[in-house]
């Protein structure tokens, strides 16, 4: 393994799921030959519609799913090696999930898992040290210890909970935060404050963020680079301005055009032509977007397009070959 | 203070109201039936060939009315019903006249409670442990366990009870075919008595345990499987919470809540006995005397058992309501 400047390197990772009942099993490549890297102190967005394999990538990175093929390198060490020092890996790679109301055990006070974390990773010696330590991280996200102390998840708001879940993830001083749709369940005003928080944490703590979302507006606002996924493949990847202001792949264009302007209640998902059958698209032979693409030609339905570098942006489309 | 005001008082009011309504129903229900127990009784006598001279008929009917507590208007009867109830007096048993109903119940209730309380609690604990493990860990052993339970579940209880009886009492006479220590016998606490109780109770207990464990195992397993894939379990794991803590504090604990409700409701039904078990094994419990009472038209005894069941069910629900907040912070002080 050659040393790279990347903090996390995903190399040709594939994940095959077997779906369907006993007699009608099909194998879908939920993630197919995906490669990307995240640099230290970089915010990297993984975007795409529902069911395109974003969460699967997050789960593979976090070690919740086994990859079928490929390699993941974190801090120049294969993820296979990290499995033997799982606790250290967790300390460096933390995660935030979509639904803040479901991120905390409804039967435990919210501060429980904070104490659990600081003791588990031996960050403090006793409760006397723990409280200021926890309070400091909570302050970083705009909360305080007294706000969550002995409170149950049902007694806090979604915004408070989501910020608390980020604060909890920051306790171990991670170098990478995997945030799987961290803003899709909170309302528009809070969205910005959470995204701003990522930007600030990157400045202050050198934190890298894998920001998984289908909210292109916040992605554009906060991230350095973006990868757009469609049915398990990255169809376009590059600097966020290039990709979103000047999209090359027809799917990225479709995504960008369907961003609703100044109407937080309309989801962009609604205006995209919905996939007739998700599975069907996954199993399609050529370009998986061909069925929905207005520019599709004969070869799009037959040949799988290769990646091409166009002005620093990777595009997977026959029009650029 | 806030516990008493917000939790205890409303629950107690509810408890007394529901109990009152339940007991009132137990009183009115038989009286609204189109059957007149007195006439039924007379018809029964006559069917057995007892000759009742017409001039004595009125007198006999009056005596029977008195026995049934059926004199006077409905409201007078209702008043008497409550007065007697508070003294634990349900009148004499009609089938075993003049033994008081309460004495019959008191005699059989320890048997029922002894059998059902022990098996219910034990089955519950075992099912939770086994179901928890089977739901959390998926491997060959839990699949086998699951398969066994799946095959056993649909077997009707009475068939299994009979099978047990045939195998363990007839083919291999390890246990007696029937009966506890005879009803009405003074129970002395000697070694022999205990051996006898265990011997007689073993088979009914075994069948109840198997059935109780099987169905609760399945529900616990399903609940645990659901909780296991909850987002907060993943978040805890991603946060480095130790697996042991996740199992007990996150999965088992959360999965226990519906199981606690289940247990509470089950405990309430203990007092009406386990009819089929007691029938098959001729076990002298409440279910047995209830069956007997129904067959013999022993109205006082039926009403006595009904009243005790009503109080038992409402009391266990009250108890459940009061202890539940200990386990579930979300319903605290609501
Ligand atoms: N455990 C699994 N078994 C079978 N198929 C799965 C499994 N997990 C995910 N999939 C399938 O893999 C595909 C990608 O799922 P994934 O959860 O990664 O999508 P996503 O991009 O995160 O979508 P969303 O925006 O809805 O969260 C979907 O078609 C999904 O049905
Ligand atoms: Mg997802």
């Amino acid at each position: 393994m050659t040393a790279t400047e990347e903090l996390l390197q995903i190399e040709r990772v594939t994940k095959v799921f077997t779906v369907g009942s006993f007699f009608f099993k099909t194998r879908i490549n939920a993630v197919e030959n995906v490669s990307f890297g995240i640099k230290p102190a970089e915010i990297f967005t993984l975007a795409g519609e529902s069911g395109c394999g974003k969460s699967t990538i997050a789960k593979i990175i976090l070690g919740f799913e086994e990859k079928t093929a490929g390699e993941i390198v974190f801090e120049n060490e294969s993820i296979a090696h990290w499995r033997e020092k799982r606790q250290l890996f967790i300390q460096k790679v933390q995660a935030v999930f979509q639904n803040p109301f479901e991120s905390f055990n409804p039967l435990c006070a919210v501060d429980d898992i904070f104490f659990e974390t600081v003791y588990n990773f031996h960050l403090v010696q006793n409760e006397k040290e723990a409280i200021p330590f926890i309070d400091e991280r909570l302050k970083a996200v705009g909360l305080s210890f007294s706000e969550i102390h002995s409170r149950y998840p049902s007694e806090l708001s979604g915004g408070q909970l989501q910020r608390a879940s980020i604060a909890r993830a920051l306790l171990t001083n991670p170098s990478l935060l995997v945030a799987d749709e961290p803003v899709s369940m909170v309302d528009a005003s809070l969205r910005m404050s959470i995204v701003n928080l990522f930007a600030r944490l990157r400045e202050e703590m050198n934190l890298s963020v894998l920001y998984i979302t289908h909210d292109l507006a916040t992605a554009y606002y906060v991230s350095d680079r973006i990868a757009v996924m469609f049915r398990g493949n990255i169809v376009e990847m590059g600097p966020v301005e290039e990709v979103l202001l000047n999209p090359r792949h027809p799917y990225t264009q479709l995504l960008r055009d369907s961003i609703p302007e100044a109407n937080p209640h309309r989801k962009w998902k609604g205006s995209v032509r919905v996939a007739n059958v998700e599975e069907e698209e996954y199993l399609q032979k050529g370009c998986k977007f061909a069925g929905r693409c207005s520019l599709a030609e004969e070869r799009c339905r037959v040949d799988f397009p290769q990646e091409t570098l166009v002005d620093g942006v990777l595009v997977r489309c026959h029009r650029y070959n | 203070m806030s516990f008493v005001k917000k939790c205890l008082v409303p629950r107690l009011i509810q408890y007394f109201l529901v109990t009152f309504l339940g007991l009132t129903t137990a009183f009115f229900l038989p009286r609204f039936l189109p059957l007149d127990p007195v006439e039924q009784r007379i018809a029964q006598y006559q069917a057995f060939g007892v000759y009742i001279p017409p001039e004595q008929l009125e007198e006999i009917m009056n005596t029977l009315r008195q026995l049934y507590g059926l004199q006077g208007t409905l409201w007078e009867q209702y008043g008497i019903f409550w007065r007697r109830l508070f003294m634990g007096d349900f009148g004499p048993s009609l089938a075993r006249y003049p033994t008081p109903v309460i004495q019959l119940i008191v005699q059989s209730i320890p048997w029922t409670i002894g059998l059902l309380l022990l098996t219910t609690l034990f089955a519950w604990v075992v099912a939770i442990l086994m179901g928890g493990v089977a739901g959390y860990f998926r491997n060959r052993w839990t699949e086998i366990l699951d398969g066994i339970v799946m095959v056993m579940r649909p077997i009707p209880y009475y068939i299994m009870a009979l099978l047990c009886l045939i195998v363990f009492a007839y083919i291999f006479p390890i246990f007696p075919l029937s009966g506890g220590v005879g009803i009405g016998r003074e129970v002395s606490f000697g070694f022999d008595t205990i051996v006898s109780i265990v011997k007689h109770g073993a088979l009914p207990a075994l069948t109840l345990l198997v059935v109780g464990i099987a169905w609760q195992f399945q529900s616990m397993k399903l609940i645990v499987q659901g909780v296991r894939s909850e987002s907060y379990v993943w978040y805890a794991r991603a946060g480095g919470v130790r697996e042991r803590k996740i199992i007990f504090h996150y999965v088992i604990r959360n999965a226990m809540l519906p199981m606690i409700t289940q247990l509470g409701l089950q405990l309430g039904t203990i007092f009406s006995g386990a009819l089929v078990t007691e029938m098959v094994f001729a076990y002298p419990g409440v279910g047995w005397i209830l069956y007997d009472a129904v067959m013999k038209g022993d109205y006082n005894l039926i009403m006595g058992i009904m009243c005790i069941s009503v109080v038992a069910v409402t009391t266990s629900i009250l108890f459940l309501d009061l202890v539940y907040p200990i386990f579930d912070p979300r319903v605290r002080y609501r």
Side-chain angles (χ1 to χ4, degrees):
Chain A
M1 212 51 49
T2 53
T4 56
E5 56 167 324
E6 315 282 349
L7 174 71
L8 178 81
Q9 182 67 46
I10 312 279
E11 282 164 28
R12 306 182 67 79
V13 166
T14 297
K15 174 74 194 180
V16 181
F17 282 121
T18 312
V19 294
S21 60
F22 196 68
F23 292 108
F24 306 97
K25 276 187 183 166
T26 44
R27 293 150 57 84
I28 61 165
N29 294 354
V31 175
E32 193 173 7
N33 271 330
V34 164
S35 304
F36 63 87
I38 303 177
K39 296 183 182 64
E42 181 183 42
I43 298 182
F44 184 93
T45 294
L46 200 55
E49 67 184 16
S50 193
C52 68
K54 307 183 298 289
S55 296
T56 306
I57 290 182
K59 283 181 190 157
I60 292 171
I61 294 171
L62 295 171
F64 294 160
E65 290 279 9
E66 287 296 326
K67 56 188 185 310
T68 312
E71 175 67 297
I72 297 178
V73 179
F74 178 73
E75 288 189 343
N76 290 318
E77 232 182 303
S78 163
I79 209 103
H81 294 154
W82 282 108
R83 298 193 71 169
E84 289 144 29
K85 29 186 183 174
R86 177 110 185 108
Q87 211 63 4
L88 185 62
F89 180 77
I90 290 174
Q91 184 163 0
K92 288 165 182 271
V93 181
Q94 284 281 331
V96 182
F97 293 143
Q98 176 171 9
N99 190 340
F101 293 103
E102 287 174 1
S103 286
F104 295 94
N105 186 347
L107 303 188
C108 288
V110 173
D111 52 349
D112 255 31
I113 193 167
F114 282 78
F115 286 109
E116 182 70 20
T117 309
V118 291
Y119 294 138
N120 253 348
F121 291 98
H122 310 291
L123 304 171
V124 295
Q125 301 306 317
N126 50 41
E127 196 178 323
K128 231 173 159 179
E129 292 176 36
I131 292 174
F133 188 90
I134 292 170
D135 192 49
E136 188 202 314
R137 291 304 149 94
L138 283 166
K139 290 259 165 65
V141 300
L143 288 169
S144 68
F145 182 71
S146 57
E147 269 175 276
I148 65 155
H149 178 54
S150 295
R151 298 271 223 113
Y152 289 90
S154 52
E155 300 170 336
L156 295 173
S157 74
Q160 282 176 312
L161 285 173
Q162 195 60 301
R163 280 179 291 155
S165 82
I166 295 169
R168 215 277 309 139
L170 297 178
L171 285 176
T172 61
N173 222 342
S175 40
L176 175 67
L177 185 68
V178 176
D180 190 355
E181 310 206 27
V183 298
S184 46
M185 297 291 282
V186 298
D187 59 55
S189 56
L190 270 166
R191 246 174 234 190
M192 281 321 280
S193 78
I194 284 176
V195 183
N196 276 326
L197 180 65
F198 288 151
R200 222 184 63 229
L201 292 170
R202 180 255 297 273
E203 295 299 324
E204 290 170 6
M205 301 175 62
N206 263 349
L207 182 72
S208 296
V209 181
L210 173 59
Y211 178 51
I212 296 176
T213 189
H214 45 226
D215 179 30
L216 292 189
T218 53
Y220 175 74
Y221 176 77
V222 75
S223 54
D224 306 305
R225 285 190 304 143
I226 185 171
V228 178
M229 277 186 85
F230 184 80
R231 296 287 170 250
N233 293 285
I234 291 182
V235 293
E236 187 162 359
M237 175 164 74
V240 73
E241 286 88 6
E242 264 308 306
V243 173
L244 290 184
L245 294 184
N246 189 12
R248 286 161 180 85
H249 197 284
Y251 177 63
T252 318
Q253 284 164 7
L254 180 69
L255 275 191
R256 193 206 49 182
D257 293 343
S258 48
I259 294 178
E261 306 222 340
N263 184 357
H265 298 296
R266 222 185 86 207
K267 277 193 173 170
W268 65 266
K269 266 203 282 188
S271 49
V272 174
R273 227 194 312 158
V274 178
N276 22 1
V277 185
E278 194 175 304
E279 208 177 299
E280 214 167 273
E281 277 186 337
Y282 263 118
L283 298 175
Q284 198 158 312
K285 243 171 89 191
C287 173
K288 300 195 190 305
F289 187 58
R292 286 198 249 169
C293 183
S294 53
L295 305 168
E297 302 163 17
E298 194 44 46
R299 59 171 174 168
C300 299
R301 293 179 222 286
V302 186
D303 291 331
F304 185 66
Q306 295 306 308
E307 284 175 319
T308 332
L309 200 60
V310 186
D311 305 330
V313 176
L314 266 182
V315 191
R316 191 187 283 281
C317 178
H318 281 305
R319 294 197 305 148
Y320 298 90
N321 278 356
Chain B
M1 182 60 211
S2 109
F3 167 75
V4 171
K5 235 186 183 164
K6 283 190 177 162
C7 195
L8 192 60
V9 171
R11 295 268 148 77
L12 278 177
I13 292 173
Q14 190 187 351
Y15 168 69
F16 284 118
L17 210 69
V18 172
T19 309
F20 172 78
L21 285 176
L23 290 173
T24 302
T25 312
F27 168 81
F28 278 108
L29 207 58
R31 283 167 176 77
F32 284 141
L33 289 179
L35 300 171
D36 181 345
V38 175
E39 275 169 19
Q40 219 183 4
R41 197 74 185 180
I42 304 263
Q44 223 170 33
Y45 287 147
Q46 285 167 340
F48 281 127
V50 179
Y51 174 71
I52 301 171
E55 62 271 19
Q56 282 181 21
L57 192 63
E58 191 58 30
E59 200 182 328
I60 290 174
M61 280 176 87
N62 269 339
T63 320
L64 281 174
R65 280 216 178 82
Q66 202 171 349
L67 280 177
Y68 285 114
L70 288 176
Q71 295 152 301
T73 66
L74 206 56
W75 295 112
E76 279 169 10
Q77 290 174 27
Y78 188 55
I80 293 168
F81 164 77
W82 278 104
R83 206 174 316 137
R84 282 164 128 198
L85 195 64
F86 278 114
M87 303 194 302
D89 175 15
F90 299 101
S93 158
L94 303 172
R96 282 178 228 186
Y97 190 79
T99 320
V101 161
I102 192 71
Q103 193 185 325
L104 287 176
I105 294 177
V106 165
Q107 263 169 10
S108 55
I109 254 183
W111 292 100
T112 290
I113 293 182
L115 179 66
L116 290 184
L117 191 67
L118 285 179
T119 52
T120 306
L121 287 177
F122 192 69
W124 188 75
V125 172
V126 172
I128 280 184
L129 292 176
M130 277 170 44
V133 170
Y136 194 81
F137 303 102
R138 279 226 124 334
N139 58 37
R140 206 154 50 94
W141 295 110
T142 61
E143 305 253 307
I144 290 172
L145 191 66
D146 206 24
I148 294 174
V149 172
M150 208 119 83
V151 172
M152 261 173 30
R153 262 306 300 282
I155 302 176
Y157 174 71
Y158 54 91
I159 291 191
M160 203 174 60
L162 283 173
L163 270 179
C164 273
L165 202 61
I166 290 169
V167 173
F168 294 112
Y170 189 72
I171 302 180
F172 308 105
I174 310 167
F175 297 111
L177 262 171
S178 71
V181 178
I183 295 180
R185 198 220 262 184
E186 272 307 306
V187 178
S188 58
F189 285 94
F191 180 71
D192 289 350
T193 326
I194 291 169
V195 170
S196 160
I197 290 174
V198 169
K199 257 191 162 176
H200 285 90
L203 271 188
L206 184 74
T207 56
L208 286 173
L209 277 178
V210 168
V211 170
I213 290 174
W215 74 270
Q216 289 179 109
F217 165 84
Q218 282 194 324
S219 36
M220 181 68 182
K221 196 200 77 181
L222 285 176
I223 299 166
V224 165
Q225 277 175 349
V227 175
R228 193 186 52 169
S229 49
E230 286 284 351
S231 190
Y232 54 80
V233 174
W234 290 114
Y235 180 72
R237 207 170 275 146
V241 177
R242 311 233 170 229
E243 204 58 28
R244 222 167 60 98
K245 172 124 185 179
I246 290 181
I247 295 177
F248 289 106
H249 269 74
Y250 283 71
V251 179
I252 303 270
R253 183 172 169 205
N254 290 44
M256 285 272 289
L257 286 183
M259 298 304 286
I260 289 171
T261 310
Q262 230 168 51
L263 177 70
L265 296 178
Q266 263 183 289
L267 288 180
T269 60
I270 280 181
F271 289 83
S272 35
L275 183 58
V276 179
T277 317
E278 293 177 14
M279 291 282 298
V280 172
F281 297 100
Y283 187 86
V286 176
W288 182 250
I289 60 168
L290 180 61
Y291 168 78
D292 214 33
V294 171
M295 293 314 278
K296 291 182 179 148
D298 193 341
Y299 280 78
N300 283 353
L301 187 50
I302 295 174
M303 195 145 85
I305 294 173
M306 250 166 95
C307 290
I308 286 178
S309 288
V310 166
V311 175
V313 170
T314 55
T315 308
S316 65
I317 290 175
L318 172 74
F319 180 71
L320 193 66
D321 268 352
L322 291 179
V323 299
Y324 198 75
I326 297 173
F327 303 101
D328 190 348
R330 286 168 299 183
V331 297
R332 259 172 231 172
Y333 306 127
R334 220 182 239 168

